[in-house]
Amino acid sequence: MARRLFSAAGALVPPVPAPAPAPVPASSSAAAEAAVSLLPLLPCKRRKKLLKKLNSPRIAPIEPEADRRVPALDAVLDRDAAFRFLSRARSFMASLPPPHRIPLAEAGKLYRELGFPRGRSVSRAAARNPLLFTRTTVGSVPHLAFTPLMCSLLEEERRVHEELLPARVLAVRKLLMLTAHRRLPLAKLHHCRAVLGLPDDFRDRVRDFPDDFRVAVDPDGLHVLELARWDPALAVSALEHDFMVDERRIRRTFRFSVPHRRSMPLDGEEAERLDAATTFPLVSPYTNGALLRPWTPEAEKYRVGVVHEFLSLTLEKRALIHHVFEFKEELGLTRHMYQSLRKQTRAFYLAGTEMNWAVFLRDAYDDDGVLRDKDPLVLFNEKLQGYACMTEMDPRRSIAE
C-alpha cells in the first residue's frame, strides 16, 4: 500500500511525582494585538513610533493572517522564552568542572551563554529560580552556583540520557541518511543537540559506536560525522509509517495544487482529484534529491518531506528555522522553503516572528498545544520547569524526588 503514496525513484542505497506543570505564559501575538488597539488613543508621534516597532521583523508575526494563528502553539514559544535563562544557564554551568560555579562578575558578561537580557543583572535572573540557583561566596568573591536540588536533578537528567542513548544514536543515523553525502559537521550537530535531545557530550562519545559512525576531518579542518553503513530498514520515513496505519489522514495532510485558469472551470471534486494526481505519489526523503530536476513538483515534494522527517526526529517535533537551516546544504534545502511550508497548512504550523520563527508538526500536538507523545526527556524538562516556578520547597517533598 505504501508504494502507491511514496515514490523511491532515484534512491541511492550505499553500503517519583513531579511538581505541578509550569504555567504557560500569555501569547506574544495577543500582546501585539493589545498594542494595536491602543493606537487610536496615542498622540501622532508616539503612534508612529509604536507602528514602526510593530512592523519590525522582531515583532511582526510570521503568520500575517490572524484567523490562521494557533494561540496554543504560539504560547509554546513564549514558554521557551520564559525559561531561556534556565535552559542556557543549566547547560553552560553543567559544562563547568565541579562544583559548577562561576564568579558573578564573570557571569554578568556572559549574557548570551546564560540566556539573560544584555544589560540586566544575572543575579536577578537567578533569583527567579531560587530552588535551582543560589549565590554563594568563595573567598569573599560572590559566585553563581547550583543548589543541592539542582545537582540531584542534573544527575537524574544524566541517567535519562543514558537510557535514551540507543534511541538517540538511531535518530542521528536516520539524520545522516537524509543528507546528500551521508555526513554532517560535528559542530552543527553539537549546536542543535538540545533540539535533537542529544546529551552535551554526544560528539565526544560518537567514537563509542564504530559500527554506526566514523569521524573524519574535511579539507577545511572540520571534524565531520560520517555514516558507517546504510540500513534499508531505517530508510522509512515517519509519513510512510503513519500511512500504513491511517492512509486517509495522510492523504488529507498534503496538497500540491495545480494552478489553472478560470477558463478551465472545475468543481470541488474535480479540482481535488486533479490536485491528488499531482500530489501523489510523494517522494521519499531518503531518496537522492540531487537526481531530481530543480523547481519541479517532485523536487518540492522531496524538500517538504525532508523537513517533515527532520522535525519527526526532533525532541518536541518542532524546531526554530535557524536550526533547520543549520543543515541547509546537507539536506538540500532552498531559501524558498517558507513558501513551500506555508502551502502545507495541514502538516506544518509556522509560529513566531519574521526574524525568529519556528515550524511545528501539527499532528504531533493536540488542540491545547500539548505534545501528544512525550519523550522521557520532555517529561524531565517539564519537571525542571515546574521547580523553576516554585519559590520554596514543599516540606512533604524530598530532594530525592
Side-chain angles (χ1 to χ4, degrees):
M1 291 294 292
R3 293 181 181 176
R4 293 188 297 136
L5 183 69
F6 291 88
S7 170
L12 180 64
V13 183
V16 181
V24 179
S27 174
S28 58
S29 60
E33 292 175 2
V36 171
S37 66
L38 296 176
L39 287 176
L41 307 177
L42 298 177
C44 182
K45 185 177 294 185
R46 292 190 63 185
R47 189 185 311 155
K48 289 182 179 179
K49 185 176 181 180
L50 182 57
L51 272 175
K52 183 178 180 181
K53 184 176 182 180
L54 292 175
N55 293 329
S56 168
R58 293 180 178 270
I59 303 295
I62 189 66
E63 178 52 71
E65 301 179 21
D67 57 343
R68 296 180 61 176
R69 297 175 194 156
V70 183
L73 295 182
D74 292 334
V76 174
L77 297 186
D78 294 313
R79 183 193 63 198
D80 288 351
F83 294 109
R84 182 179 294 118
F85 174 79
L86 171 63
S87 59
R88 293 191 182 180
R90 174 191 62 175
S91 178
F92 180 82
M93 294 180 61
S95 65
L96 301 176
H100 306 294
R101 62 191 179 201
I102 182 173
L104 277 179
E106 183 179 346
K109 303 175 185 178
L110 304 175
Y111 58 91
R112 287 193 182 94
E113 291 80 358
L114 297 180
F116 64 94
R118 183 178 184 179
R120 302 292 179 88
S121 170
V122 65
S123 298
R124 178 176 296 181
R128 296 192 181 100
N129 309 303
L131 295 184
L132 306 179
F133 298 96
T134 184
R135 178 175 172 174
T136 183
T137 302
V138 180
S140 74
V141 178
H143 282 66
L144 180 66
F146 289 146
T147 63
L149 172 62
M150 186 62 166
C151 292
S152 68
L153 290 172
L154 289 178
E155 182 61 25
E156 179 183 346
E157 182 185 29
R158 187 192 64 80
R159 292 194 298 267
V160 171
H161 276 301
E162 286 295 330
E163 295 173 0
L164 297 174
L165 189 57
R168 299 297 185 253
V169 170
L170 199 68
V172 173
R173 288 176 61 192
K174 289 176 71 71
L175 180 59
L176 289 171
M177 292 170 65
L178 285 176
T179 61
H181 303 291
R182 320 305 176 204
R183 59 195 319 219
L184 280 173
L186 272 173
K188 291 186 177 183
L189 206 60
H190 181 73
H191 179 252
C192 298
R193 63 191 183 280
V195 180
L196 299 170
L198 303 177
D200 290 341
D201 60 347
F202 183 78
R203 62 178 173 180
D204 300 325
R205 303 178 62 179
V206 291
R207 291 181 173 85
D208 297 338
F209 306 94
D211 296 335
D212 301 317
F213 308 118
R214 290 192 301 264
V215 178
V217 180
D218 67 2
D220 296 330
L222 297 177
H223 288 79
V224 296
L225 186 66
E226 297 181 342
L227 184 68
R229 56 187 175 88
W230 179 276
D231 188 352
L234 295 181
V236 180
S237 66
L239 279 176
E240 291 175 282
H241 181 270
D242 292 344
F243 175 74
M244 301 300 296
V245 178
D246 190 350
E247 175 183 350
R248 186 178 180 183
R249 179 179 65 83
I250 299 301
R251 285 189 175 275
R252 292 198 309 263
T253 300
F254 292 94
R255 182 179 180 183
F256 293 87
S257 303
V258 178
H260 58 272
R261 299 181 180 180
R262 294 182 179 178
S263 58
M264 182 182 177
L266 297 174
D267 59 22
E269 184 179 352
E270 291 173 339
E272 185 176 348
R273 284 191 297 178
L274 181 61
D275 292 342
T278 57
T279 299
F280 304 104
L282 295 175
V283 179
S284 172
Y286 292 99
T287 61
N288 187 0
L291 301 179
L292 300 174
R293 295 177 57 189
W295 316 118
T296 59
E298 288 73 20
E300 185 177 3
K301 294 178 192 179
Y302 167 76
R303 290 192 295 268
V304 169
V306 165
V307 173
H308 189 283
E309 184 68 3
F310 175 82
L311 294 177
S312 70
L313 298 176
T314 59
L315 184 64
E316 298 187 42
K317 314 307 176 189
R318 62 183 174 94
L320 292 172
I321 192 59
H322 70 263
H323 285 138
V324 178
F325 269 73
E326 184 81 15
F327 307 104
K328 175 183 176 181
E329 297 178 358
E330 291 82 5
L331 298 179
L333 304 180
T334 69
R335 61 179 181 177
H336 301 287
M337 284 308 302
Y338 167 71
Q339 289 81 1
S340 298
L341 296 176
R342 184 170 163 76
K343 294 177 185 177
Q344 311 301 328
T345 55
R346 294 183 179 180
F348 306 105
Y349 176 69
L350 309 184
T353 63
E354 294 178 358
M355 179 171 288
N356 190 26
W357 52 281
V359 55
F360 289 72
L361 285 183
R362 277 186 179 269
D363 289 342
Y365 289 81
D366 61 17
D367 295 337
D368 297 326
V370 178
L371 196 62
R372 298 182 189 273
D373 186 13
K374 294 185 178 181
D375 186 271
L377 189 58
V378 175
L379 297 176
F380 170 81
N381 289 334
E382 291 180 350
K383 177 180 178 179
L384 185 65
Q385 292 170 2
Y387 280 119
C389 295
M390 298 168 60
T391 57
E392 59 182 7
M393 193 71 175
D394 190 333
R396 293 171 298 178
R397 297 185 185 275
S398 63
I399 291 180
E401 293 181 354

